Amino acid sequence: MDLSELDQALEELTANNRSEVGLSVAARIDLTEQCLCCLSEAAREWVDLACAAKRIPRESSTCAEEVLAGPVSVARFLQVLLISLKAISAVGQPRLPGSPRSKAGGQICVPVFPTSGIFDALVFYGLSAEAWLNPDVSPENLFDLTGLERSANFELPLTLVLGAGNVSAIPATDVLTKILQDGERVLLKMNPVNDYLKPVFERSFSPLIDAGLLRIVSGNAEAGAYLLEHAAIDRVHITGSTQTHDAIVWGSDSEECHTRKENNQPRLEIPVTSELGNVSPWIVVPGHYSDRQLQFQAENIAASIVNNASFNCLATKVIVTSADWPDRDQFLMLIEQKLQQISRRYAYYPGAAERWQRFTGSEPDDKEYLPWKLIRDADPAQSPHLFQEESFVCVCAETALKAETASGFLEQAVEFVNEDVWGTLCATLTVPDAFRNAEQAILDRCIGELNYGAVGINHWPALNYAFMSTPWGGAPGATLQDVVSGIGNVHNTYFLADVEKTVLYGPLTLFPKPVWFPSHSNPEAVGWRLFDLYTKPSLGNLLRTGLTVALK
């Protein structure tokens, strides 16, 4: 293949590093504001390209997914980062949206949502989120601003970002995190699956390209291998599967990979960060739920399965219920009914039909538009692949645990997902109101014991990702040898030190209906109003957002 494009991009980035050093906070503020303006001009084409590639009819409400998980998420990231950067410029540190609290034992929990300045408390009424920091972090060192110290006489590291192919906001915010927060230059290699976005990325982030901080290239696996071995690359960030990560770090040959791991001799001798896969569990604590709550939570889970045709690392793959819960069968029937009401999506990601067949044990009736599949009463002993391997396709297992009490079930379920379900990225708990009110201490302890980087209480942790002020990544403790769901985190727009996990809280139902629910009647219009609100926060844009929601 022709490597000239790759060599030119590397040469331009390294040449800029020689001629211009440092990246001040003022410069980051200016670049962030410029990117918001450029994003506004490219956003419509961005969504049009994504819908065409994924064969989503432009008149379909499903187009809202590409609005929300594309330009809206990126605009939100830029805006919440801009608010923090301006606070750092003014007072030396970010302004938190509330006061941190200390758990029993002294662990600090920092409020990170709703954020101030963009009307979150009104738009997402009822939802809140905290970042739980490592117990070693003290109130005096909440923030880690080392990435901002590259402001003068400091050459910026050159990071290779290997972009995700499924959700367009992922490579975009990975790039923005590395440049505007961590103070690095970036070479983004597009994934072949969504390489069609390269032109709109170049337009959206042209200020970073013009500043010599970013280059974007295309290429196959051979191009990726060439870049990984290039001497100019100082760091690597990977979004993808664990198998891809290990092939890059330890070698694609299984014997070589095993030997290198045993001897701790990685092929790459530079820092590697990553956000990888997960068999995402959703635990349903038994107890009394109203019919409305059951309906809402059933669609909540269905939405988490079907979003982006289930090509998400955070798509629900295992539902954990109580075998003794009287409403179990009714609840599973509701989920199945919701799934039947949702149109199938084009299976755009390579290998989907083969994976669907392997994980279900049957042939799909349509290999291009795969059916949603819920496998009830799955047994980890009989079907370990449903629990230990990420299918990355629209198949979800359900399994039941026996316990005499709701608290006993929750403790058993936490142990089960930690030990028997693969991954450390995110997990969800649906919790009855009575249990939250009576057993808050047990719930708090169980949240702490969940070995996941993001936890949602009554709501899908995709929100932990999309809110952007909430740090996102696998649970701490991963190593290159056992990387699980990844090393490090992204977003973290409050620059918090040593985050252990983020926890999203919300009620069992929300009103109005969440824009990410498949049954929402006007989601794309709401999505574009949110985009306007994030690119230009104002009371006028807030009112227009509210009016669009009211007229849905």
Side-chain angles (χ1 to χ4, degrees):
M1 62 175 294
D2 183 8
L3 302 175
S4 58
E5 178 195 10
L6 310 183
D7 289 331
Q8 180 180 349
L10 287 166
E11 173 54 33
E12 290 171 355
L13 287 168
T14 53
N16 285 323
N17 220 6
R18 289 192 296 268
S19 61
E20 297 182 29
V21 293
L23 186 61
S24 67
V25 172
R28 298 180 204 217
I29 291 172
D30 185 51
L31 289 167
T32 303
E33 291 175 331
Q34 289 182 50
C35 285
L36 276 166
C37 292
C38 293
L39 177 62
S40 296
E41 298 173 1
R44 296 278 176 173
E45 183 184 355
W46 180 326
V47 172
D48 288 343
L49 288 170
C51 288
K54 296 181 180 181
R55 299 190 193 178
I56 302 171
R58 202 59 191 87
E59 68 277 7
S60 168
S61 62
T62 305
C63 293
E65 292 182 4
E66 299 308 315
V67 179
L68 295 167
V72 170
S73 291
V74 177
R76 182 179 173 88
F77 174 86
L78 288 166
Q79 192 59 243
V80 294
L81 177 61
L82 180 62
I83 292 169
S84 283
L85 289 173
K86 287 183 174 179
I88 292 166
S89 178
V91 300
Q93 65 183 38
R95 292 189 179 96
L96 296 172
S99 300
R101 68 180 179 94
S102 293
K103 292 174 56 188
Q107 184 178 23
I108 298 174
C109 302
V110 181
V112 290
F113 181 87
T115 54
S116 304
I118 50 176
F119 310 104
D120 277 347
L122 294 173
V123 176
F124 297 102
Y125 180 76
L127 298 178
S128 63
E130 296 177 322
W132 293 17
L133 307 186
N134 185 292
D136 294 335
V137 177
S138 69
E140 293 73 37
N141 60 352
L142 291 180
F143 303 106
D144 180 2
L145 303 179
T146 53
L148 299 177
E149 294 171 0
R150 300 179 179 127
S151 56
N153 301 319
F154 200 114
E155 286 196 3
L156 308 183
L158 176 51
T159 297
L160 171 64
V161 172
L162 298 175
N166 57 336
V167 176
S168 61
I170 295 176
T173 54
D174 285 351
V175 164
L176 295 170
T177 295
K178 293 298 179 184
I179 296 174
L180 297 173
Q181 290 184 262
D182 298 345
E184 301 170 7
R185 297 183 196 271
V186 169
L187 178 62
L188 168 62
K189 182 198 166 293
M190 297 296 294
N191 190 298
V193 175
N194 61 1
D195 186 63
Y196 55 83
L197 290 172
K198 181 173 179 283
V200 292
F201 277 19
E202 289 175 333
R203 287 171 55 199
S204 300
F205 310 128
S206 58
L208 304 177
I209 294 172
D210 294 343
L213 295 166
L214 172 66
R215 291 294 183 270
I216 305 174
V217 297
S218 303
N220 56 15
E222 184 182 350
Y226 176 78
L227 293 171
L228 286 163
E229 296 176 2
H230 201 285
I233 299 298
D234 299 309
R235 302 178 182 188
V236 176
H237 180 74
I238 303 166
T239 301
S241 69
T242 304
Q243 291 76 18
T244 299
H245 171 275
D246 284 355
I248 288 170
V249 174
W250 303 101
S252 55
D253 178 78
S254 59
E255 187 174 335
E256 177 193 10
C257 179
H258 177 75
T259 301
R260 284 183 174 276
K261 278 189 175 184
E262 276 198 336
N263 298 323
N264 193 22
Q265 294 178 331
R267 297 182 75 249
L268 293 182
E269 296 183 355
I270 55 178
V272 178
T273 55
S274 52
E275 191 261 283
L276 307 174
N278 195 52
V279 180
S280 302
W282 195 304
I283 298 168
V284 183
V285 179
H288 172 71
Y289 297 89
S290 69
D291 288 343
R292 181 166 175 261
Q293 289 170 343
L294 288 174
Q295 288 278 353
F296 186 97
Q297 289 297 314
E299 184 165 4
N300 210 1
I301 292 176
S304 74
I305 294 171
V306 306
N307 182 275
N308 195 31
S310 212
F311 299 126
N312 290 326
C313 57
L314 42 67
T316 299
K317 296 303 177 196
V318 172
I319 302 169
V320 184
T321 61
S322 169
D324 304 306
W325 180 35
D327 292 329
R328 173 178 172 243
D329 188 62
Q330 177 192 356
F331 185 61
L332 295 176
M333 285 179 61
L334 286 173
I335 295 173
E336 289 170 334
Q337 289 171 7
K338 302 292 184 185
L339 291 173
Q340 289 169 5
Q341 294 165 4
I342 300 167
S343 300
R344 298 183 187 187
R345 312 281 173 80
Y346 172 60
Y348 69 88
Y349 216 86
E354 292 77 14
R355 292 194 303 277
W356 193 96
Q357 182 172 351
R358 177 170 176 268
F359 278 82
T360 64
S362 60
E363 186 88 17
D365 57 12
D366 187 333
K367 292 187 176 182
E368 286 197 332
Y369 291 84
L370 298 169
W372 316 118
K373 183 70 173 180
L374 176 61
I375 302 173
R376 290 206 202 186
D377 292 304
D379 184 344
Q382 297 296 322
S383 305
H385 58 298
L386 293 172
F387 301 85
Q388 287 295 317
E389 299 177 39
E390 183 186 31
S391 67
F392 210 64
V393 75
C394 50
V395 177
C396 179
E398 180 269 344
T399 194
L401 306 178
K402 292 190 69 66
E404 294 182 358
T405 64
S407 57
F409 166 82
L410 178 56
E411 291 169 340
Q412 186 179 345
V414 167
E415 182 180 3
F416 173 74
V417 298
N418 280 346
E419 299 297 328
D420 296 326
V421 180
W422 180 85
T424 65
L425 188 59
C426 62
T428 314
L429 301 173
T430 288
V431 186
D433 290 334
F435 187 94
R436 287 186 74 175
N437 294 333
E439 305 287 0
Q440 184 59 51
I442 293 175
L443 178 61
D444 211 42
R445 173 169 56 79
C446 287
I447 293 171
E449 290 174 357
L450 280 166
N451 189 33
Y452 291 87
V455 177
I457 305 301
N458 295 330
H459 294 280
W460 187 26
L463 299 179
N464 298 52
Y465 178 89
F467 286 152
M468 298 295 163
S469 57
T470 38
W472 179 258
T479 64
L480 288 179
Q481 287 97 329
D482 186 17
V483 71
V484 202
S485 293
I487 297 173
N489 57 48
V490 292
H491 307 165
N492 191 15
T493 55
Y494 287 115
F495 296 85
L496 296 172
D498 212 355
V499 176
E500 180 183 280
K501 69 182 63 176
T502 60
V503 184
L504 171 73
Y505 302 92
L508 283 164
T509 63
L510 292 175
F511 181 82
K513 181 176 291 187
V515 70
W516 55 92
F517 270 30
S519 64
H520 195 289
S521 61
N522 195 27
E524 183 174 355
V526 176
W528 285 120
R529 288 303 188 192
L530 288 172
F531 180 77
D532 293 340
L533 181 64
Y534 297 151
T535 51
K536 295 180 180 179
S538 68
L539 280 173
N541 278 332
L542 172 65
L543 291 172
R544 280 184 279 274
T545 302
L547 183 61
T548 304
V549 170
L551 295 176
K552 70 179 179 68

